[in-house]
Amino acid sequence: MSLDSIRLEGVTTHNLKSVDVSFPKGKLVVAAGVSGSGKSSLVIDTLFEHSKTLYLGALSSKSLDMGDGDYQFDRIAGTQPPVALRQRDGGYSNPRSTVGTLTGLDGLYRLLFGAGSRPVCPACLGPTGPDLFCDDCGCFAEPHSAKHFSPNRKEGKCLRCDGIGELVGFALDKIIPDRSKTLTEIWDGADPGTFAVPNVRKAFEAMAADIGLDLGVPFEKLSPEQTERVLHGSDTIYTLKIRKVTNDFRFEGILGFLERAYRNASSAARKNAFTNYLGREVCPGCKGGRLRPESLGATVAGHTFHDFQSDELSRSITRLRDGLSSGAVPAQVRELASAIVKQSANIEEVGLGHLQLRRPVITLSGGELQRLLLAQHLASDLTGVMYVLDEPTAGLHEADTGKILTSLRRLRDLGNTVIVIEHDESVIRAADWIVELGPGAGSRGGEIVFEGRFTDLLDSGDSPTASAMRTGGPSRTRADLADAAWLEVRGITRNNVVDQTARFPLGGLTCVSGVSGAGKSSLVAGLHASISRAIAQRPTGTTAANTGIRGAEVLDDVIYVEQRPIGRSSRSTLVTYIGISDHIRDAFAGSAEAVERGLGRGEFSPNVAGGRCESCKGLGLAEIEMTLFKSEFIVCPECEGRRFQEHVLDVRLGDKNIHDVLSMTVEDALGWFDAKSSPKVVQALGVLGEFGLGYLQLGCSTTTLSGGEAQRLNLAGELLKQRRSRTLFIFDEPTRGLHAADIRHLLALFERLISTGNTIVVIEHDVKVIAIADWVIDLGPGAGREGGRVVHSGTPEELADNAASVTGAFVRRLRDEPGAPMPEPDPAGHPRPSAAPDLGVIGELLPRAVTVVAGTARQSERNGPTPYGLVIGSLTVVSDELALIGFLVRSGSTSWNAIAETGRFCVNILGEDQHEVSDAFSQGRPDNRFDALAWTPSANGCPRLPGAVGTIDCSLKSTYRIGDHEFVLATVVSVDIRGGADRRPLLRTERGDSALDDYGWRRFAREAEAR
């Protein structure tokens, strides 16, 4: 076996059919295939889990018995230390965990402020002198440490909210959400265990009778004095008989009772009874900053600790970079500030610059969490590691895919093996090696249908992935909007979305698009809340004008199908999730044999004692507890995985027992169940078959489903609820986790819903789906503070021509070249052309022509682009076929460092009349070389010099250290030659063999190689 690869032989985990496969080490490998084909079974459940077992065992001086595990194989060799970056793992559900705590940036900022900020006066919060003395108040301030900026330490936390940042209390709007209800209705509808308890209600009724309060009066009709009595009670004592016991009671009011009972609750369960009535408000003491006033007043580079916590990471990076360049960051913490900038930049590079440090981790999507963990590893120096990632582009806009690819390549270039489970075409095209499983899903998959490079994949006739790429995108019949009714919601405000309007056609498919963090989920959540409120208020006579909604009168319901995991319990199965398990058990319990044996429905349930195997409690698996690690599971030796006792398995329905039926696939069960005797079962199985889930077993655990399978099962479950027409369905990224070949099942669901009079709104990133929608609402133009605005509301064709829309650029590309592959975005989010530009025209002159590399500094983009440029000593074509060019720059060059951060630049070929420009760039300061030049943006937004013979727009590929210089390798995006017949390039003056070699390279390159 070669030491350069990881070899797996005879893998039979789950649906894998004795798979033999190799993964080359030190490469970017993509595992592709339709949903359910076995990708996760091979890469995560087998390779990663086995590798983890090996390396955990190696950490102990004793031999660890890790059990048989859930994977099966003959041989695995050549594995490396594994790291899995999954979309959602246990361990990230702590509600107090934030982006700052997860990444460690919180701790770095505390150190920064502890050592780099000057304490303010504890009395007036004014500035202090070098001796920490306040001249105005005549008192000294306490020296700072990192503890003073921790909300969990007594030295730093706000005493009013105990460092939480908000106050929790009972909110009247939650206790009485509908003030039109009468007092009797309010008590009847109260949550169990709250103020509805008998003694409180009796005391209230006694007080009401005493003061003449009519219990049939709506709450909103009460006088101020009556409202006070209902909420805060009275001092009168009433003698009441409750359940044969006579006692004295005082009605303390709804709020009075809730506050006392919550305060005195002795258990978490008791406190949970009041959860629905609790509200939160920002702490007035710290304004949400969680720290005491003295800590909140301290600054570094003119900004407070709370500023860095509450602002987007990209904005914080700009502040620190500006502070470092201006000298505003104290010398003793400059190195620490640079480390914060570097780590934050890694997070920004994976498309998460819009996140705030204080944002709770539980609010992140699975894709955002995985990319956050990816950024953590980019900051490490680990080499020789096997990284496994599960769909890192999930939930990512096409414009951000280039950032992920750059990050994955960086991990690979550090000497690691990167294995990615992925459906995205751009990632598949960028892979060094592709392993595709299939050809189908479930029992029809589990085989290797392709191993090799992307160029060979396209010629593979057995590859569903290649077939999907060759046939283009999905198709559907668009709705005719000429006579469509419209729904309009105004004033949507949530998170970064402020006072926006959403307008879309009823009876059609609307896509809500935009870059990651643009505000799509916020807009849709606001849309859902507004329409839900309008439907709920309809009986009260509230007019549409008052709710800011037009057209909602034709809707009877609104359903929000969110992206969420299903079947968190190992006992959740396919039949329990879709609600047909009881029908199957009833069928068995009704058989003559079951009646004779006295067996009821419960005996045929693996979750109820009596019929299930008690050794494994009906799971079919036996648990092996590990002292230090999580438990392992093996097939139960008592029931051999059949989950039931023998006397239950002896009962047969037709020719099958309960285990046989639960082991059947959906397709097989459809042919076995009788439509007349089991109509509900047949109907449900038919829907699952329509959406490509016919290969799943009825008794399979929902925790074992792939992301794409779980998504389709979730959507099919909504259809099975048999809702009426006139419903607005909202789907959150329904194509996430779906192979291109599986999207047809999703569109079939949409068409069925639309054909029965429903309306669909989806949050979507897939450009091919956006292009066939009836209507598109695009948000942006950027993420976070730079987004939150509707930049387009119209048809996909109109979106393609909208220059303000990032999504529009990709739709336009798809429209203009429908057969061409989707271009790979560069790290800045601009689509790259699919074909390599022709460099033959300029290839021969490049080594001798004087050229200026020009770009803009990332940290100044918010205040307008600041151009940087430098003259390079030599430039040559490295590859005509791949359109790669290369050149040398001096390490530490201020101009090059500013340009390299953005990942894109423009190479300007100077004309022979531009000696002055060349001299200015060779001698002038980096930050003022463009002062006298009226430059214009090139095709990718970088400075084009006036009078240049030609420009080459480039995207940075990689850099390599050569002595005191860096060799830059760049991908050519476009070439523009405008020299004309009478224009010639400015050539460098020959300085003899000591300066240039035969290729125009300066001698320092060869000297560096010699060293």
Coordinates of all heavy atoms in Angstrom, one line a residue, residues 348-411:
E348 N -13.6 36.3 9.2 CA -14.1 37.1 8.1 C -13.9 36.4 6.8 O -14.8 36.5 5.9 CB -13.5 38.5 8.1 CG -14.1 39.5 7.1 CD -13.4 40.8 7.1 OE1 -12.1 40.9 7.3 OE2 -14.1 41.8 7.0
E349 N -12.8 35.7 6.6 CA -12.4 35.1 5.4 C -13.3 33.9 5.1 O -13.4 33.5 3.9 CB -11.0 34.6 5.4 CG -10.0 35.8 5.3 CD -8.6 35.3 5.4 OE1 -8.3 34.1 5.5 OE2 -7.7 36.2 5.4
V350 N -14.0 33.3 6.1 CA -15.0 32.2 5.8 C -16.4 32.8 5.7 O -17.4 32.0 5.8 CB -14.8 31.1 6.8 CG1 -13.5 30.5 6.8 CG2 -15.2 31.6 8.2
G351 N -16.5 34.1 5.5 CA -17.9 34.6 5.2 C -18.7 35.0 6.5 O -19.9 35.1 6.4
L352 N -18.0 35.2 7.6 CA -18.7 35.4 8.9 C -18.3 36.8 9.5 O -18.4 36.9 10.7 CB -18.4 34.3 9.9 CG -18.9 32.9 9.5 CD1 -18.5 31.9 10.5 CD2 -20.4 32.8 9.2
G353 N -17.9 37.7 8.7 CA -17.5 39.0 9.2 C -18.7 39.8 9.8 O -18.5 40.8 10.5
H354 N -19.9 39.3 9.5 CA -21.1 40.0 10.0 C -21.5 39.6 11.4 O -22.4 40.2 12.0 CB -22.3 39.8 9.1 CG -22.7 38.3 9.0 ND1 -22.0 37.4 8.1 CD2 -23.6 37.6 9.6 CE1 -22.5 36.2 8.2 NE2 -23.5 36.3 9.1
L355 N -20.8 38.6 12.0 CA -21.2 38.1 13.3 C -20.7 39.1 14.4 O -19.7 39.8 14.2 CB -20.6 36.7 13.5 CG -21.1 35.6 12.7 CD1 -20.4 34.3 13.1 CD2 -22.6 35.5 12.8
Q356 N -21.4 39.1 15.5 CA -20.9 39.8 16.7 C -20.4 38.9 17.7 O -20.9 37.7 17.8 CB -22.1 40.6 17.3 CG -22.8 41.6 16.3 CD -24.1 42.1 16.8 OE1 -24.9 41.4 17.4 NE2 -24.3 43.4 16.7
L357 N -19.4 39.3 18.5 CA -18.8 38.5 19.5 C -19.9 38.0 20.6 O -19.8 36.9 21.1 CB -17.7 39.2 20.2 CG -16.4 39.4 19.4 CD1 -15.4 40.1 20.2 CD2 -15.9 38.1 18.9
R358 N -20.9 38.9 20.8 CA -21.8 38.6 21.9 C -23.0 37.7 21.4 O -23.8 37.3 22.1 CB -22.4 39.9 22.4 CG -23.3 40.6 21.4 CD -23.9 41.9 22.1 NE -24.8 42.6 21.2 CZ -25.4 43.7 21.5 NH1 -25.3 44.2 22.7 NH2 -26.3 44.3 20.6
R359 N -23.0 37.3 20.1 CA -24.1 36.5 19.6 C -24.0 35.1 20.1 O -23.0 34.4 20.0 CB -24.0 36.5 18.0 CG -25.1 35.6 17.4 CD -25.3 35.9 16.0 NE -26.2 34.9 15.3 CZ -26.5 34.9 14.1 NH1 -25.9 35.8 13.2 NH2 -27.3 34.0 13.6
P360 N -25.1 34.6 20.6 CA -25.2 33.2 21.2 C -24.9 32.2 20.1 O -25.4 32.3 19.0 CB -26.6 33.1 21.7 CG -27.0 34.5 22.0 CD -26.4 35.3 20.9
V361 N -24.1 31.2 20.4 CA -23.8 30.1 19.5 C -25.1 29.4 19.0 O -25.2 28.9 17.9 CB -22.8 29.1 20.1 CG1 -22.6 27.9 19.2 CG2 -21.4 29.9 20.2
I362 N -26.0 29.2 19.9 CA -27.2 28.5 19.6 C -28.1 29.1 18.5 O -28.9 28.5 17.9 CB -28.1 28.2 20.8 CG1 -28.5 29.5 21.5 CG2 -27.4 27.3 21.8 CD1 -29.5 29.3 22.7
T363 N -27.8 30.4 18.2 CA -28.5 31.1 17.2 C -27.9 31.0 15.8 O -28.4 31.4 14.8 CB -28.7 32.6 17.5 OG1 -27.4 33.2 17.4 CG2 -29.3 32.8 18.9
L364 N -26.7 30.4 15.7 CA -26.0 30.2 14.5 C -26.6 29.0 13.7 O -27.0 28.0 14.3 CB -24.5 29.9 14.7 CG -23.7 31.0 15.4 CD1 -22.3 30.5 15.6 CD2 -23.7 32.3 14.7
S365 N -26.6 29.1 12.4 CA -27.0 28.0 11.6 C -25.9 26.9 11.6 O -24.8 27.2 12.0 CB -27.3 28.4 10.1 OG -26.0 28.8 9.5
G366 N -26.3 25.7 11.2 CA -25.2 24.6 11.2 C -24.1 25.0 10.3 O -22.9 24.7 10.7
G367 N -24.3 25.6 9.1 CA -23.2 26.0 8.3 C -22.3 27.1 8.9 O -21.1 27.1 8.8
E368 N -23.0 28.1 9.6 CA -22.2 29.1 10.2 C -21.3 28.6 11.3 O -20.1 29.0 11.5 CB -23.1 30.2 10.8 CG -23.8 31.1 9.7 CD -24.8 32.0 10.3 OE1 -25.5 31.7 11.3 OE2 -24.9 33.2 9.8
L369 N -21.8 27.6 12.1 CA -21.1 27.0 13.2 C -19.9 26.3 12.6 O -18.7 26.4 13.1 CB -21.9 26.1 14.0 CG -21.2 25.3 15.1 CD1 -20.5 26.2 16.1 CD2 -22.2 24.3 15.8
Q370 N -20.1 25.5 11.5 CA -19.0 24.8 11.0 C -17.9 25.7 10.4 O -16.7 25.4 10.6 CB -19.5 23.8 9.9 CG -18.4 22.9 9.3 CD -19.0 22.0 8.3 OE1 -18.4 20.9 8.1 NE2 -20.0 22.3 7.6
R371 N -18.3 26.8 9.8 CA -17.3 27.7 9.2 C -16.6 28.4 10.4 O -15.4 28.8 10.2 CB -18.0 28.7 8.3 CG -18.6 28.1 7.1 CD -18.8 29.1 6.0 NE -19.8 30.1 6.3 CZ -21.1 29.9 6.2 NH1 -21.6 28.7 5.8 NH2 -22.0 30.8 6.5
L372 N -17.3 28.7 11.5 CA -16.6 29.3 12.6 C -15.5 28.3 13.2 O -14.4 28.8 13.5 CB -17.6 29.6 13.7 CG -17.2 30.5 14.8 CD1 -16.8 31.9 14.3 CD2 -18.3 30.7 15.9
L373 N -15.8 27.1 13.3 CA -14.8 26.1 13.7 C -13.7 26.0 12.7 O -12.5 25.8 13.0 CB -15.5 24.7 13.9 CG -16.5 24.7 15.0 CD1 -17.2 23.3 15.0 CD2 -16.0 25.0 16.3
L374 N -14.0 26.1 11.4 CA -13.0 26.1 10.4 C -12.0 27.2 10.5 O -10.8 27.1 10.4 CB -13.7 26.1 9.0 CG -12.7 26.3 7.8 CD1 -11.8 25.1 7.6 CD2 -13.6 26.4 6.5
A375 N -12.5 28.4 10.8 CA -11.7 29.6 11.0 C -10.7 29.4 12.2 O -9.6 29.8 12.2 CB -12.5 30.8 11.3
Q376 N -11.2 28.6 13.2 CA -10.4 28.3 14.4 C -9.1 27.5 14.0 O -8.0 27.8 14.4 CB -11.1 27.6 15.4 CG -12.2 28.4 16.1 CD -11.6 29.4 17.1 OE1 -11.3 30.6 16.7 NE2 -11.4 29.1 18.3
H377 N -9.4 26.6 13.1 CA -8.3 25.7 12.7 C -7.3 26.4 11.7 O -6.2 26.0 11.6 CB -8.8 24.4 12.1 CG -9.4 23.4 13.1 ND1 -8.6 22.5 13.8 CD2 -10.6 23.3 13.7 CE1 -9.3 21.8 14.6 NE2 -10.5 22.3 14.6
L378 N -7.9 27.4 11.0 CA -7.0 28.1 10.1 C -5.9 28.9 10.9 O -4.8 29.2 10.4 CB -7.8 29.1 9.2 CG -8.7 28.5 8.2 CD1 -9.6 29.5 7.5 CD2 -7.8 27.8 7.1
A379 N -6.2 29.2 12.1 CA -5.3 30.0 12.9 C -4.3 29.1 13.6 O -3.3 29.6 14.2 CB -6.1 30.7 14.0
S380 N -4.4 27.8 13.5 CA -3.5 26.8 14.2 C -2.4 26.5 13.2 O -2.4 26.7 12.0 CB -4.2 25.6 14.6 OG -4.6 24.8 13.5
D381 N -1.4 25.8 13.7 CA -0.2 25.4 12.9 C -0.2 23.9 12.8 O 0.8 23.3 12.5 CB 1.1 25.9 13.6 CG 1.2 27.4 13.6 OD1 0.7 28.0 12.6 OD2 1.8 27.9 14.5
L382 N -1.4 23.2 12.9 CA -1.4 21.8 12.8 C -1.1 21.3 11.4 O -1.6 21.9 10.4 CB -2.8 21.3 13.2 CG -3.2 21.3 14.6 CD1 -4.6 20.9 14.8 CD2 -2.2 20.4 15.5
T383 N -0.3 20.3 11.2 CA 0.0 19.7 10.0 C -0.1 18.2 10.1 O -0.1 17.6 11.2 CB 1.5 20.0 9.5 OG1 2.4 19.5 10.5 CG2 1.7 21.5 9.4
G384 N -0.3 17.5 9.0 CA -0.4 16.1 9.0 C -1.7 15.6 9.6 O -1.9 14.5 10.0
V385 N -2.8 16.5 9.6 CA -4.1 16.1 10.1 C -5.1 15.8 9.0 O -5.0 16.4 7.9 CB -4.6 17.3 11.0 CG1 -6.0 17.1 11.4 CG2 -3.7 17.5 12.2
M386 N -6.0 14.9 9.3 CA -7.1 14.6 8.4 C -8.3 15.4 8.8 O -8.9 15.1 9.8 CB -7.4 13.1 8.3 CG -8.5 12.8 7.4 SD -8.9 11.0 7.4 CE -9.7 10.8 9.0
Y387 N -8.7 16.4 8.1 CA -9.9 17.2 8.4 C -11.1 16.7 7.6 O -11.0 16.4 6.4 CB -9.7 18.7 8.0 CG -8.8 19.5 8.9 CD1 -7.5 19.6 8.7 CD2 -9.4 20.0 10.1 CE1 -6.7 20.4 9.6 CE2 -8.6 20.7 11.0 CZ -7.2 20.9 10.7 OH -6.5 21.6 11.6
V388 N -12.2 16.5 8.3 CA -13.4 16.0 7.6 C -14.5 17.1 7.8 O -14.8 17.5 9.0 CB -13.9 14.7 8.3 CG1 -15.2 14.3 7.7 CG2 -12.8 13.6 8.0
L389 N -15.1 17.5 6.8 CA -16.1 18.6 6.8 C -17.4 18.1 6.1 O -17.3 17.5 5.1 CB -15.6 19.9 6.2 CG -14.4 20.6 6.8 CD1 -13.1 20.2 6.2 CD2 -14.6 22.1 6.7
D390 N -18.5 18.4 6.7 CA -19.8 18.0 6.2 C -20.5 19.2 5.6 O -21.1 20.0 6.3 CB -20.6 17.4 7.3 CG -21.9 16.8 6.9 OD1 -22.1 16.7 5.6 OD2 -22.8 16.4 7.7
E391 N -20.5 19.3 4.3 CA -21.1 20.4 3.5 C -20.8 21.7 4.1 O -21.7 22.4 4.6 CB -22.6 20.1 3.5 CG -23.0 18.8 2.8 CD -24.5 18.6 2.7 OE1 -25.2 19.6 2.6 OE2 -25.0 17.5 2.8
P392 N -19.6 22.2 4.0 CA -19.2 23.5 4.6 C -19.9 24.7 3.9 O -20.0 25.8 4.4 CB -17.7 23.6 4.4 CG -17.4 22.6 3.3 CD -18.4 21.5 3.4
T393 N -20.4 24.5 2.6 CA -21.1 25.6 1.9 C -22.6 25.6 2.2 O -23.3 26.5 1.6 CB -20.8 25.5 0.4 OG1 -21.5 24.3 -0.1 CG2 -19.4 25.4 0.1
A394 N -23.1 24.8 3.1 CA -24.5 24.8 3.4 C -24.9 26.1 3.9 O -24.3 26.7 4.8 CB -24.8 23.7 4.4
G395 N -26.0 26.7 3.4 CA -26.4 28.0 3.8 C -25.6 29.1 3.4 O -25.7 30.3 3.9
L396 N -24.7 28.9 2.4 CA -23.8 29.9 1.9 C -24.2 30.4 0.5 O -24.5 29.6 -0.4 CB -22.4 29.4 1.9 CG -21.2 30.3 1.9 CD1 -21.2 31.1 3.2 CD2 -19.9 29.6 1.8
H397 N -24.1 31.7 0.3 CA -24.4 32.3 -1.0 C -23.2 32.0 -1.9 O -22.1 31.8 -1.5 CB -24.5 33.9 -0.8 CG -25.0 34.6 -2.0 ND1 -24.2 35.0 -3.1 CD2 -26.3 35.0 -2.3 CE1 -25.0 35.6 -4.0 NE2 -26.2 35.6 -3.6
E398 N -23.5 32.0 -3.2 CA -22.5 31.7 -4.2 C -21.3 32.6 -4.1 O -20.2 32.3 -4.4 CB -23.1 31.7 -5.6 CG -24.0 30.6 -6.0 CD -23.2 29.4 -6.4 OE1 -22.0 29.4 -6.4 OE2 -23.9 28.3 -6.7
A399 N -21.6 33.9 -3.8 CA -20.6 34.9 -3.7 C -19.6 34.6 -2.6 O -18.5 35.1 -2.6 CB -21.2 36.3 -3.5
D400 N -20.0 33.8 -1.6 CA -19.1 33.5 -0.4 C -18.4 32.2 -0.6 O -17.5 31.8 0.2 CB -19.9 33.5 0.9 CG -20.5 34.9 1.2 OD1 -19.8 35.9 1.0 OD2 -21.7 34.9 1.6
T401 N -18.7 31.4 -1.6 CA -18.1 30.1 -1.8 C -16.6 30.2 -2.0 O -15.8 29.4 -1.5 CB -18.7 29.4 -3.0 OG1 -20.2 29.3 -2.7 CG2 -18.2 28.0 -3.1
G402 N -16.2 31.3 -2.7 CA -14.7 31.4 -2.9 C -13.9 31.6 -1.6 O -12.8 31.1 -1.5
K403 N -14.5 32.2 -0.6 CA -13.8 32.3 0.7 C -13.6 31.0 1.3 O -12.6 30.7 1.9 CB -14.7 33.2 1.6 CG -14.9 34.6 1.0 CD -15.8 35.4 1.9 CE -16.1 36.8 1.3 NZ -17.1 37.6 2.2
I404 N -14.7 30.1 1.2 CA -14.5 28.8 1.8 C -13.4 28.0 1.1 O -12.6 27.3 1.7 CB -15.9 28.0 1.7 CG1 -16.8 28.6 2.8 CG2 -15.7 26.5 2.0 CD1 -16.4 28.3 4.2
L405 N -13.4 28.1 -0.3 CA -12.4 27.3 -1.0 C -11.0 27.8 -0.7 O -10.1 27.0 -0.6 CB -12.7 27.5 -2.5 CG -13.9 26.8 -3.1 CD1 -14.1 27.1 -4.6 CD2 -13.6 25.3 -3.0
T406 N -10.9 29.1 -0.5 CA -9.6 29.6 -0.1 C -9.1 29.0 1.2 O -8.0 28.6 1.4 CB -9.6 31.1 0.0 OG1 -9.9 31.7 -1.3 CG2 -8.2 31.7 0.4
S407 N -10.1 28.9 2.2 CA -9.8 28.4 3.5 C -9.4 26.9 3.4 O -8.5 26.5 4.1 CB -11.0 28.6 4.4 OG -11.3 30.0 4.6
L408 N -10.2 26.2 2.6 CA -9.9 24.7 2.5 C -8.5 24.5 1.9 O -7.8 23.6 2.3 CB -11.0 24.1 1.7 CG -12.4 24.1 2.3 CD1 -13.4 23.5 1.3 CD2 -12.4 23.4 3.6
R409 N -8.2 25.3 0.9 CA -6.9 25.2 0.3 C -5.8 25.5 1.2 O -4.7 24.9 1.2 CB -6.8 26.1 -1.0 CG -7.6 25.5 -2.1 CD -7.9 26.6 -3.2 NE -8.6 26.1 -4.4 CZ -9.3 26.8 -5.2 NH1 -9.5 28.1 -4.9 NH2 -9.9 26.3 -6.2
R410 N -6.0 26.5 2.1 CA -5.0 26.9 3.1 C -4.7 25.7 4.0 O -3.6 25.4 4.4 CB -5.4 28.1 3.9 CG -5.2 29.4 3.2 CD -5.7 30.6 4.0 NE -5.1 30.6 5.3 CZ -5.4 31.4 6.3 NH1 -6.5 32.2 6.1 NH2 -4.8 31.4 7.4
L411 N -5.8 25.0 4.5 CA -5.6 23.9 5.3 C -4.8 22.8 4.6 O -3.9 22.2 5.2 CB -7.0 23.3 5.7 CG -7.8 23.9 6.9 CD1 -9.1 23.2 7.1 CD2 -6.9 24.0 8.1

